[in-house]
Amino acid sequence: MDRLWTDFVNSDYHDWRGGDRSEDRLGRTEWQQEFLKQWQLKAPIPASPEEERTLRSFRGKLHALATRLSAGNPLLDEDQEWLNSMMEEGKVTRRLHSGDEGLRLSHIPVGTQWQQVMAEVAGDFAITVVEGDGGRIRICDNTDCRWIFYDDTRSRTQKYCDDKMCGNLMKVRRFRAKRKVNQKQK
């Protein structure tokens, strides 16, 4: 399941098939438009060069924090302070909605700047850590991919960001390596 924060962090694309193609999608206008639309956020497009630098720095810190949590390390006091400072930049309006499933409370972002977007991303990450489990944050076992995801499987054993793409690719690689070893032994 995609989450706001994983979608943001994974904007630094690496070719999961092992090619040397990589792309920082954060600076692409098309990516910015699609990201904001998908997550119902607003900010001026394209982001200014200064905003892009700030977004990249934020993404780098969030990636490093997710990586530490995926290794089983706890959330430190300074991590909490940093997340709090990022979330303070975003103001929200709370709205109660009724629907088929009963009442629901939503937080609607008030700001329309990239700082608000970063606050929403930080807030979504904080929700993941508080309501979920930081130990379920994973980095895809395909070393070419580097995708970060949240393992929401019951068994907590998900290794790949996508079983059909990275999972199959790694299965084929293991099979071919094993077959190669077996052929050499004959």
Side-chain angles (χ1 to χ4, degrees), residues 6-51:
T6 58
D7 196 15
F8 181 79
V9 168
N10 291 329
S11 62
D12 188 14
Y13 171 82
H14 301 276
D15 188 355
W16 58 276
R17 293 171 299 245
D20 52 353
R21 187 176 147 249
S22 64
E23 175 183 15
D24 184 356
R25 295 177 174 170
L26 196 59
R28 292 184 48 221
T29 302
E30 303 83 26
W31 184 88
Q32 293 173 12
Q33 288 172 329
E34 203 50 43
F35 178 79
L36 294 175
K37 180 181 174 186
Q38 178 179 346
W39 298 104
Q40 300 173 359
L41 298 169
K42 294 180 179 162
I45 298 173
S48 72
E50 183 178 319
E51 288 169 325

Side-chain angles (χ1 to χ4, degrees), residues 46-68:
S48 72
E50 183 178 319
E51 288 169 325
E52 278 187 40
R53 281 191 296 280
T54 302
L55 288 166
R56 281 189 183 91
S57 174
F58 171 67
R59 181 183 63 194
K61 288 179 183 178
L62 194 59
H63 188 281
L65 179 54
T67 301
R68 286 199 331 265

Side-chain angles (χ1 to χ4, degrees), residues 73-121:
N73 296 313
L75 193 67
L76 303 174
D77 289 342
E78 53 263 26
D79 300 328
Q80 291 178 39
E81 289 173 20
W82 176 73
L83 282 169
N84 284 333
S85 71
M86 294 307 299
M87 290 185 293
E88 283 174 7
E89 296 297 320
K91 307 300 179 212
V92 295
T93 299
R94 289 164 187 81
R95 188 152 316 218
L96 196 57
H97 304 276
S98 57
D100 296 340
E101 297 159 10
L103 289 175
R104 184 176 66 102
L105 180 66
S106 62
H107 295 80
I108 302 163
V110 174
T112 58
Q113 299 298 322
W114 285 102
Q115 196 65 43
Q116 177 75 39
V117 172
M118 289 187 291
E120 294 304 315
V121 170

